[in-house]
Amino acid sequence: MLDTALIFDAALLPAMLIAMLAGILSFLSPCVLPVVPPYLAYMGGVSVSEMEQTRAARKRVFVSAVFFVLGLSTIFLLLGLAFSTMGRMLLQVQDWFIVVAGAMIMILGAHFIGVFRIGFLDRELRVDAGDKGGSAFGAYLLGLAFAFGWTPCLGPILGAILSLAASEADVARGTVLLAVYAFGLGIPFLLVAAFFPRLKGVMGWMKRHMDRIEKISGLLLWTVGLMMMTGQFAAFSYWLLERFPALALIG
């Protein structure tokens, strides 16, 4: 029997919060946000103008978006399973592993902030899933392709969450973190599919402030890396318990 008390506890909450924010920031990244409307329209087998003007088109797009999110979630869950298993294998050197992972995440954060640029992280590798638009199964395949194809672009943020998953050294807890990351990345897709006309202005504002969003992403990564290196996740968990005693009931 799976003991949920060993999985969901206050110590996991900070990492889950970071995973959620990381998923949202991944959606707002320069290689995802600008292509969301045409991508959704293609999956639903409609045009962007139809998606904007008719409720029936948005309903069709929303159904496709659900299967698309299921597809990308499948890949991220498998990655969470793999990396948390790796962390479990490295349990004897976990302290050193966390320090190294934290340093790597700080480097990725500096890349996003603009302190320096890492060339291969600025390139995209897109996997062509063929002509799969207009069907639920095709949308699921596109979700799989999206998760694989955009990994180089999402690499800095996704790498941080995978490092967190590996540092948990527990398969279930690590997989939970990637599930939360997939939730943070996937839910905005569903919101845009359902409320596209109302969100056009918000998406336009985000595109205009993409540079600032990228720097916020970098600052988040740098902070996460520093907390991992200095062991502040445990301290943050204790702080949460002191400020919000009800969290002790979780699990």
Side-chain angles (χ1 to χ4, degrees), residues 45-68:
V46 301
S47 66
V48 174
S49 60
E50 287 175 324
M51 188 170 70
E52 181 178 355
Q53 296 170 5
T54 68
R55 181 174 298 179
R58 288 195 296 276
K59 183 177 179 180
R60 183 174 178 179
V61 169
F62 182 82
V63 172
S64 296
V66 169
F67 283 90
F68 172 79

Side-chain angles (χ1 to χ4, degrees), residues 30-172:
C31 60
V32 176
L33 183 63
V35 301
V36 169
Y39 219 79
L40 289 173
Y42 172 72
M43 285 189 296
V46 301
S47 66
V48 174
S49 60
E50 287 175 324
M51 188 170 70
E52 181 178 355
Q53 296 170 5
T54 68
R55 181 174 298 179
R58 288 195 296 276
K59 183 177 179 180
R60 183 174 178 179
V61 169
F62 182 82
V63 172
S64 296
V66 169
F67 283 90
F68 172 79
V69 170
L70 289 175
L72 65 88
S73 298
T74 299
I75 299 301
F76 292 139
L77 287 174
L78 291 175
L79 287 173
L81 179 65
F83 274 75
S84 53
T85 300
M86 181 184 69
R88 191 171 186 177
M89 294 170 59
L90 297 173
L91 191 59
Q92 292 183 341
V93 291
Q94 186 182 18
D95 291 342
W96 284 105
F97 176 79
I98 292 175
V99 171
V100 172
M104 292 177 61
I105 292 173
M106 291 181 71
I107 292 172
L108 295 174
H111 161 83
F112 259 150
I113 293 172
V115 177
F116 51 78
R117 303 299 294 183
I118 303 174
F120 76 91
L121 294 178
D122 288 324
R123 295 195 296 268
E124 297 177 34
L125 173 63
R126 303 193 184 189
V127 177
D128 185 6
D131 187 12
K132 302 295 183 182
S135 70
F137 179 67
Y140 180 80
L141 292 180
L142 284 170
L144 297 176
F146 180 94
F148 275 122
W150 265 263
T151 295
C153 183
L154 302 178
I157 296 178
L158 179 59
I161 304 307
L162 290 175
S163 296
L164 281 176
S167 69
E168 288 293 335
D170 181 275
V171 174

Side-chain angles (χ1 to χ4, degrees), residues 163-186:
S163 296
L164 281 176
S167 69
E168 288 293 335
D170 181 275
V171 174
R173 290 166 68 94
T175 305
V176 165
L177 289 184
L178 267 295
V180 174
Y181 172 80
F183 183 83
L185 175 59

